């Protein structure tokens, strides 16, 4: 057995600096734009191994095994989702169904700002609730690029929009993960998150349109933004507090989409915003070809169903794949668990990160049928057959998709190797303890701890599992509500999703703008920091100014 060490240098500041080196290096290399994302990720993997072995004293064999586990876990399930989402997109383009979808969305509104609300925010929230794990950014990014948005607008705005629903993503999986490590009731945790995030569900639609079109562009469509935000935020609060945390995103997104579409039948902006690029500097606009004029001929009933059919199939399949009963059945038969030798249960997480020495599991769970990516592949195959694709043509299209995504898949796997190794070596816990030492400011910095966790791991679920118990222990020592700070970890984490390197690679792949991850990161970083700080301020108010909002949940 090897016990994690959180202060290997005997000085908390120096140990924290050492722990931060791999992640800071990764982000700096990507943001520089001079190093390709896959090269930056490989450099960061090597650096993380060196830090883990020579600073945190992790045995070299364990460090290498943890990296290999992360590489495999990077492809299954994350890379598997991206590959099959892009495959579905390629099929809809090849069959002409995507062109019909563009005309369908254009029939609702030609205004780019309103298309963002409909696709990036509401439609993306549905897929976050149904499957999570990169699916919404992959789908909305590919749809927006197909609708004619610039690559930077399509990728960056998809990342910003995919924030408000993340804490309830994949049918409440982040909440369940938080409950599993804290021992707190998931219904109470979900309700507390539902007293934090609705504020940002109202803010984020305004923020996305402002980031795209500027203040004036946002001001001209404020009624539609308000409808979108309110009809998402109110159901999000009601469902999370009075029903359950599992169906929050699905319910809120469907209500929001329906209300926005109905509202746009009676209201349209006085002046349409047709520019596909970000207002201000958008270097990706120069890479765009002149868009073809959209055919404004009204779609027949058959064409409408043809346009929507692949996405209806995806929605149905994702709802089945996200269902707990289906997962339980599938994982009882179609699964292969591989405990990594000399790694699984051979590492102890110790106080103060855990209440007592707790073995860290290291099992590669190859639940091949219940993977979200498998559901997406099945949806793509069904859609292809319904569109008249032959098996040979479908195989050929899949081969082209693999070629298109190959480097992105390598990058995603390397990102997960970093996340897995930092978790098992205790490097990320050292960073977490630095946030936990902030005393009276802990509600603010504890929220940013959740942000850091998602930025490191790419998953709100993983961040909750990583730091949930630390939040509970620290909050109890400071006399704060453990429910409040557990929920703050999840709520703050959603704002880290947009700068997580893995999500940025997913976005660049979906928009066919691979190699420009640094530009995307530089664009979204300031938005991520600002929104995370706003969540932290809200939690500070809940902790000290309006404690009644958390008191009933203690």
């Amino acid at each position: 057995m090897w016990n994690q060490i959180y202060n290997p240098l005997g000085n908390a500041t120096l140990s924290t600096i050492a722990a931060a080196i791999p992640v800071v290096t990764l982000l700096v290399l990507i943001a520089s734009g001079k190093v390709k994302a896959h090269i930056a990720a490989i450099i960061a993997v090597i650096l993380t191994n060196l830090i883990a072995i020579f600073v945190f004293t992790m045995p070299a064999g364990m460090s290498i095994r943890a990296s290999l586990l992360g590489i495999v876990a990077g492809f299954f399930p994350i890379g598997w989702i991206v590959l099959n989402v892009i495959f579905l997109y390629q099929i809809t383009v090849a069959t002409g169904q995507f062109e019909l979808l563009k005309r369908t969305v254009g029939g609702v509104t030609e205004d780019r700002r309103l298309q963002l609300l409909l696709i990036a925010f509401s439609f993306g929230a549905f897929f976050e609730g149904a499957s999570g794990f990169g699916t919404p950014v992959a789908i909305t990014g590919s749809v927006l690029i197909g609708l004619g948005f610039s690559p930077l607008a399509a990728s960056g705005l998809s990342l910003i929009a995919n924030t408000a629903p993340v804490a309830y993503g994949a049918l409440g999986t982040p909440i369940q993960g938080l409950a599993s490590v804290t021992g707190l009731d998931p219904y109470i945790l979900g309700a507390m998150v539902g007293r934090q995030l609705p504020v940002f569900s109202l803010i984020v639609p305004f923020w996305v349109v402002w980031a795209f079109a500027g203040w004036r562009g946002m001001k001209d469509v404020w009624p539609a933004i308000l409808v979108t935000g309110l009809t998402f935020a109110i159901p999000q609060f009601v469902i999370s507090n009075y029903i359950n945390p599992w169906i929050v995103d699905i319910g809120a997104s469907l209500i929001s989409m329906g209300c926005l579409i109905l509202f746009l039948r009676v209201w349209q902006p006085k002046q349409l915003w047709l520019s596909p690029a970000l207002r201000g500097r958008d270097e990706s606009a120069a890479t765009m070809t002149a868009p073809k004029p959209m055919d404004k001929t009204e779609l027949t009933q058959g064409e409408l169903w043809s346009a929507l059919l692949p996405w209806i199939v995806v929605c149905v399949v994702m709802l089945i794949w996200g269902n707990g009963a289906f997962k339980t059945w599938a994982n009882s038969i179609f699964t292969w668990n591989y405990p990594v030798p000399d790694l699984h249960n051979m590492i102890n997480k110790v106080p103060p990160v855990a209440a007592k020495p707790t073995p860290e599991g290291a099992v590669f769970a190859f639940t091949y049928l219940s993977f979200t990516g498998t559901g997406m592949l099945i949806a793509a195959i069904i859609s292809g057959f319904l569109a008249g694709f032959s098996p040979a043509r479908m195989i050929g299209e899949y081969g082209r998709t693999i070629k298109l995504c190959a480097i992105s898949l390598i990058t995603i796997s390397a990102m997960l190797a970093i996340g897995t190794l930092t978790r098992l070596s205790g490097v990320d816990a050292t960073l977490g303890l630095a946030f936990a030492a902030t005393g009276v400011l802990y509600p603010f910095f504890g929220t940013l701890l959740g942000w850091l966790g998602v930025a490191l791991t790419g998953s709100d679920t993983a961040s909750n599992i990583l730091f949930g118990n630390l939040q509970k222990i620290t909050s109890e020592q400071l006399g704060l509500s453990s429910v409040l700070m557990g929920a703050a970890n999840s709520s703050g984490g959603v704002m880290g999703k947009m700068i997580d390197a893995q999500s940025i690679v997913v976005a660049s792949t979906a928009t066919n703008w691979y190699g420009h991850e640094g530009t995307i990161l530089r664009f979204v970083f300031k938005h991520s920091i600002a929104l995370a700080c706003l969540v932290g301020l809200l939690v500070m108010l809940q902790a000290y100014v309006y404690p009644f909002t958390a008191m009933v949940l203690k």
Side-chain angles (χ1 to χ4, degrees):
M1 293 292 294
W2 176 71
N3 293 332
Q4 291 180 347
I5 300 172
Y6 307 125
N7 187 9
L9 299 178
N11 180 291
T13 301
L14 292 177
S15 296
T16 301
I17 291 171
I21 288 174
V23 126
V24 170
T25 302
L26 175 65
L27 293 176
V28 168
L29 288 176
I30 292 176
S32 71
K34 297 178 181 178
V35 181
K36 297 293 185 183
H38 64 288
I39 301 298
I42 291 169
I43 292 172
V45 170
I46 295 170
L47 193 54
T48 308
N49 272 276
L50 294 175
I51 294 290
I53 295 168
F54 294 107
V55 177
F56 284 79
T57 70
M58 186 181 195
M62 286 185 173
S63 180
I64 293 168
R65 287 183 178 87
S67 300
L68 293 174
L69 174 62
I71 288 170
V72 178
F75 186 74
F76 291 107
I78 307 299
W80 187 231
I81 294 171
V82 176
L83 178 65
N84 293 309
V85 167
I86 301 302
F87 177 49
L88 172 68
Y89 171 69
Q90 296 288 92
I91 286 176
T92 62
V93 170
T95 59
Q97 289 171 304
F98 200 87
E99 192 62 34
L100 293 175
L101 178 67
K102 286 162 64 175
R103 288 171 58 190
T104 303
V105 175
V108 175
T109 177
E110 293 181 67
D111 192 291
R112 299 286 186 185
R113 298 163 297 184
L114 303 180
Q115 289 176 352
L116 274 175
L117 294 175
L118 185 62
I119 301 297
F121 185 79
S122 298
F123 194 50
F126 174 84
F127 282 104
E128 182 63 48
S131 56
F133 300 104
T135 309
V137 170
I139 289 179
T140 59
S142 60
V143 171
L144 290 177
I145 200 74
L147 287 170
F149 281 80
S150 74
L152 181 56
S155 53
L157 297 172
S158 289
L159 288 165
I160 296 173
N162 183 42
T163 49
V166 165
Y168 296 105
L171 293 173
T173 302
I175 301 297
Q176 186 59 59
L178 183 61
S180 68
V181 296
T182 60
L184 299 170
D185 188 329
Y187 286 86
I188 294 177
L189 287 169
M192 187 69 250
V193 172
R195 298 182 181 201
Q196 296 167 343
L197 278 188
V199 175
F200 296 91
S201 297
L202 186 58
I203 291 173
V204 167
F206 284 94
W207 199 289
V208 169
V209 177
W210 165 72
F212 174 64
W215 173 259
R216 288 186 179 179
M218 180 196 75
K219 182 169 61 70
D220 291 343
V221 291
W222 73 264
I225 303 175
L226 187 62
V227 167
T228 304
L230 280 177
T231 58
F232 189 91
I234 293 172
Q236 187 180 50
F237 170 78
V238 172
I239 296 171
S240 62
N241 275 264
Y242 299 105
I243 302 178
N244 65 55
W246 324 127
I247 62 168
V248 174
D249 285 346
I250 291 175
S253 63
L254 291 174
I255 293 169
S256 180
M257 266 191 290
C259 289
L260 178 58
I261 291 170
L262 290 174
F263 180 71
L264 293 179
R265 288 187 176 183
V266 299
W267 182 91
Q268 287 285 339
K270 293 179 181 178
Q271 188 173 357
L272 294 176
W273 189 285
L274 301 178
S275 171
L278 295 169
R279 188 178 183 186
R281 188 169 182 271
D282 185 346
E283 61 188 69
S284 69
T287 67
M288 301 173 65
T289 56
K292 297 177 181 178
M294 185 176 291
D295 185 352
K296 296 184 180 180
T297 307
E298 189 171 344
L299 292 172
T300 65
Q301 198 72 20
E303 287 175 328
L304 177 62
W305 279 109
S306 178
L308 297 177
L309 185 59
W311 308 102
I312 293 172
V313 171
V314 169
C315 291
V316 171
V317 172
M318 287 299 97
L319 285 174
I320 294 171
W321 253 249
N323 182 272
F326 171 80
K327 284 185 179 294
T328 301
W329 169 79
N331 292 344
S332 67
I333 303 172
F334 304 97
T335 188
W336 175 62
N337 291 320
Y338 178 71
V340 180
D342 299 321
L343 186 66
H344 175 59
N345 288 339
M346 296 298 291
I347 297 173
N348 272 332
K349 185 188 293 183
V350 298
V353 175
K356 60 181 180 179
T358 306
E360 285 274 28
V363 179
F364 173 59
F366 190 54
T367 54
Y368 47 94
L369 180 59
S370 68
F371 281 142
T372 300
T374 303
M376 192 62 67
L377 175 62
I378 291 171
I381 292 172
I382 293 172
S383 299
F385 280 133
L386 291 176
F389 260 53
S390 66
R393 189 182 176 192
M394 207 173 296
I395 290 170
E397 196 65 58
Y398 202 74
R400 284 187 286 275
T401 305
I402 292 173
K403 186 176 180 180
L404 177 68
C405 296
I407 294 179
S408 297
L409 296 176
I410 292 170
T411 309
I412 292 168
S413 290
M415 300 296 184
L416 262 291
I418 296 167
T420 303
L421 179 55
T422 55
R423 174 176 63 85
L424 291 175
S425 64
V427 167
D428 49 14
T430 297
L431 294 172
L433 288 170
F435 281 86
T438 53
V440 71
L441 295 177
Y442 182 69
F444 179 82
F445 286 102
T447 304
L448 292 186
L449 176 58
W451 171 84
L452 174 69
V454 177
L456 288 172
T457 65
S459 164
D460 201 53
T461 303
S463 175
N464 286 344
I465 291 172
L466 179 64
F467 291 136
N469 194 64
L470 178 62
Q471 295 276 17
K472 181 183 179 183
I473 292 170
T474 306
S475 59
E476 288 175 347
Q477 290 174 344
L478 296 173
L480 298 167
S481 165
S482 57
V483 171
L484 174 66
M485 292 314 303
N489 194 85
S490 197
S491 297
V494 304
M495 302 308 174
K497 187 76 170 176
M498 67 181 91
I499 63 162
D500 149 51
Q502 165 192 307
S503 295
I504 289 172
V505 174
V506 169
S508 68
T509 306
T511 56
N512 199 24
W513 209 44
Y514 186 78
H516 296 272
E517 291 80 8
T519 304
I520 299 171
L521 176 60
R522 288 193 296 272
F523 171 66
V524 299
F525 193 84
K526 57 183 178 292
H527 300 288
S528 176
I529 289 284
L531 285 166
C533 288
L534 288 176
V535 181
L537 290 174
L538 174 64
V539 175
M540 285 280 284
L541 290 174
Q542 287 184 295
Y544 300 126
V545 182
Y546 304 108
F548 64 88
T549 60
M551 192 177 300
V552 295
L553 296 171
K554 277 189 176 181

